[in-house]
Amino acid sequence: MAEIEGARRSGPTLRDVARHAQVSVATASRALTSDYPVAEPTRLKVLRAVEELNYVVTTRAPKRTPATSLIAMVVSDVISPLRSLVATGMAEAAGDYGRLSSVYITGGDTRREDEVFARLEEQDDVEAVIVVGGVEVTDEYEQRMAAHAHALHARGSQLVLCGRPPLPAGVPALVVEYDNRGGAYAATSHLLSMGHRQILTLTGPERSTTTIGRVHGYQQALADFGVDVDPALVIASSADRSGAYQSCQRVLGEKLQFTAIFAHNDVMASGALAALKEQGLSVPDDISLVGYDNIPVAQELSPPLTTVYMPHEEMGKAAVRLAVERPAPGSGRERQLLGTHIVIRTSVKPFRHLGSGARPV
Amino acid sequence: MAEIEGARRSGPTLRDVARHAQVSVATASRALTSDYPVAEPTRLKVLRAVEELNYVVTTRAPKRTPATSLIAMVVSDVISPLRSLVATGMAEAAGDYGRLSSVYITGGDTRREDEVFARLEEQDDVEAVIVVGGVEVTDEYEQRMAAHAHALHARGSQLVLCGRPPLPAGVPALVVEYDNRGGAYAATSHLLSMGHRQILTLTGPERSTTTIGRVHGYQQALADFGVDVDPALVIASSADRSGAYQSCQRVLGEKLQFTAIFAHNDVMASGALAALKEQGLSVPDDISLVGYDNIPVAQELSPPLTTVYMPHEEMGKAAVRLAVERPAPGSGRERQLLGTHIVIRTSVKPFRHLGSGARPV
C-alpha cells in the first residue's frame, strides 16, 4: 500500500494541491495512490496541480513508529460509563505501545467534530483517530466520515470506527464493533427461557446503529422462541435515566400488558426501576428487568440488575491495537466484532403459565 | 504582565536560548520577564545568550485568541464520575469560547504525565493546560509542576490547577479548588446535629490533598460541637468501592463503636453500605451514612444517600474561564474556591441519648 507525503513545511502540501486542482484533499490523495479508483479527468487535474506546484510525492511504508506519535479519540462525551471505559482502555493500550493519546469531547456537535478532525488532519504525528459510539447512519454522515478517512489516510494516518458499523467499501477505515445483536439476543432469550412472553423493550434513539442492532437481536430471539413481535412493546426514548423513567411511567399509565422489561442500557433500567417502584410494582416479583452494559450502578440497584456485559475497556484497547498493527485491506482483520455475555443477578424471576391464566410467581 | 515570544520557526527559540545559557527554559523565561525574580548572574547569562543567538524578544498582550487554540486537560482517569464531569464542563466551556479542547489520560503515571506536558509545551497553539484532581504534595511534585508552569508560561501558555492547592509563590499558575474542608464540615456537622457523636470517617489515601482537606473539616466540626476526635475512627483506604468495603468489614470485625459513617466519596459509601448490610446492619436504622460527590449512584442506593454536592462541571468551566480570561497576578482572581452543599436523602436518622444509655432510634 503506497501512501503519500508532501515535502512538509518547506514546500506545498497535499492541501495546496487539492486547492489548486479544485478537488477535495481526499480526492487528491486517491488520485495519487493506486489504492482507490478516481475518474480519469480528476486524476489528470490533480497531476497537473502536482506539476505546477512542484509538489513532491513520496511513498513510504504504512507503519510509522515515531516515539511521540499520538492516538486521538473523538467522542461525544465521557459521562457515559461505557465511553469513559473505552477511553480508559484506549489510553492504557496507547501507553503500552509507547504512544501518547488524547480524547476530544465534541458534545455530539457535528461542527465541533469536524473542527477536531481538521486539526488532527493537519498534524504530522497523529497515528490514528478513533471515533467512538453508535451513530445515526445517513448519507451525510457517511460522506463526512469518508472525507475524514481519506484525509487522514493521505497523511499516513488512519481512521478507526469504534462501536459503529463500517463505511462503504473503498473507504480506508478500520472497525471494532460490539455484537449488539448478540447481546440483545442473549438478554431477550434469557427472559424468554424464564417463561416471559410479553417483553417490553426500552430503546435509545430509533435510528442509532446501536438501537437498530439491539432491536434486531430482541426480535430474532422472539422469533426463535415462536413469539410474535408486538411493535407496541418497542418503546424508544432518549438513552438516559429520565427518558426511560418517563417512557415507563407512560406505558404503565396506558395499561400496556407486559411481564418483563429489557432496557437497552443500565442507566435506562434504573429509570424504569424507579417508575415501577413508584407504581408499587416490585422487581422481580411483578416485573422482571434486564439492562445492558454492566456499569457499576447495575450492582447497586435494588434488586441488583441482570444485564449484558460489554467489553468496553477491551474495545478501546482493540481499537489501538488495530491502529498500531494496521492490518492490510482484504486481510479480514480490518473489522473486529467483540462478544458480550449475560451477567445474572436477581432482577429476573421465572414467569409460569398456570392453566388458563398466567401470573407472576 | 509581559510575556515572551521568540520569532518562531524562522529563528532561534527560547529553548535554544536556554540551552545556550545552560539554564532551564523556565529560568530563561523568568530572566526575560519582570514577573518573577531570578539571580542576577543567571539573568546576565540568559541575556548574553539572547544577544549571541539574535533571539527576538517581543512582548505581547497576555490574551491570545487564535481561532484554533487548544485547551488541554491532563487527568489520571475519566472513570471517576467527578473527573469525567470536570472534563465535560471543560469541553463545553472551551467550545463556548471557540476553543478546541482535549483530554490526556495518564493513568496516574508521572512519567506519562511528563511526556504529555513535554508535547504540550512544544506546541504553539496550546492556550492552557489544566491538571485535574487531588495529589500528594511532595517537594518532587512541586518542582515538577513548577517546571511545567514556567515552561508553559514561556510559550505564552498557562498552567491551571484544578481541584488541587496552589504551588509556591512565584510559580505562574491559576487555581480552581473545591472547598473540601467546608464540604466535610457540612457532612460531619449534619451528623452531629442529628445527635451522632461516634462518627467513623472513611478516607482516601492519607497524604492526598483531598483527604487532608476533608479530614480537617471533619475534625473542625467535631471540635465545634465539643466532641473529642478519636483517631481510631479515621480509617484510610483506597478511594474506591472495594477499599471501603474491606475497611468497613474490618472495623465491624474489630467491634469498633460508632453510630454513623462519613465516607469521603459516594463510591466508598456504596462499599461501606454493602459491608454493613452483609453484617445484618440497616442504614439508617442501625448506622447513619453520608457520602461525598453526589454522583448518579448516590440516588440509586437503598436507602438513597445523603451526600455533599460537588460542582464538578462548574469546576471544569471555571478552569477554562480562568485560562481564557487570565487574571493578572495579584488581582486576587488567580485562585477560585468553589462551594459545596449537603444533599439530604434518607441515609441518616437522628441518634437520641436516652438516660444513661444510648440507642439508635
Side-chain angles (χ1 to χ4, degrees), chain A residues 154-165:
Chain A
R155 298 293 290 228
S157 186
Q158 182 74 44
L159 180 69
V160 185
L161 305 166
C162 188
R164 57 174 70 175

Side-chain angles (χ1 to χ4, degrees), chain B residues 2-21:
Chain B
E3 299 194 16
I4 314 172
E5 189 178 44
R8 301 259 163 72
R9 302 195 189 285
S10 52
T13 65
L14 187 65
R15 209 166 278 268
D16 302 324
V17 171
R19 205 176 294 122
H20 198 79

Side-chain angles (χ1 to χ4, degrees), chain B residues 253-285:
Chain B
E254 289 167 356
K255 310 282 178 210
L256 204 59
Q257 292 297 310
F258 57 92
T259 67
I261 297 177
F262 162 41
H264 280 212
N265 69 50
D266 294 340
V267 172
M268 293 176 77
S270 74
L273 181 62
L276 291 167
K277 282 184 177 173
E278 256 183 34
Q279 297 292 314
L281 292 167
S282 156
V283 173
D285 291 333

Side-chain angles (χ1 to χ4, degrees), chain A residues 248-334:
Chain A
C248 191
Q249 222 180 16
R250 200 185 62 241
V251 297
L252 288 170
E254 290 168 357
K255 312 281 178 208
L256 204 60
Q257 293 297 310
F258 57 93
T259 67
I261 297 177
F262 161 41
H264 280 212
N265 70 50
D266 294 341
V267 171
M268 293 176 77
S270 75
L273 181 61
L276 292 167
K277 282 183 177 174
E278 256 183 36
Q279 296 294 313
L281 292 167
S282 156
V283 173
D285 291 333
D286 298 317
I287 301 285
S288 286
L289 181 62
V290 177
Y292 207 109
D293 279 352
N294 195 32
I295 62 172
V297 88
Q299 69 174 322
E300 304 295 356
L301 296 177
S302 295
L305 187 68
T306 292
T307 186
V308 177
Y309 166 79
M310 293 272 278
H312 296 302
E313 279 198 62
E314 177 52 27
M315 181 97 155
K317 290 181 184 175
V320 171
R321 234 176 357 248
L322 269 183
V324 172
E325 293 176 2
R326 301 214 177 179
S331 67
R333 298 199 303 117
E334 325 92 277

Side-chain angles (χ1 to χ4, degrees), chain A residues 30-68:
Chain A
R30 273 172 293 178
L32 295 172
T33 55
S34 50
D35 299 4
Y36 300 97
V38 64
E40 191 59 13
T42 310
R43 205 176 67 86
L44 290 175
K45 259 205 300 191
V46 173
L47 290 178
R48 208 173 305 125
V50 165
E51 212 172 282
E52 287 169 10
L53 293 176
N54 282 320
Y55 177 74
V56 182
V57 182
T58 58
T59 58
R60 60 173 168 178
K63 285 191 193 181
R64 41 192 276 167
T65 51
T68 55

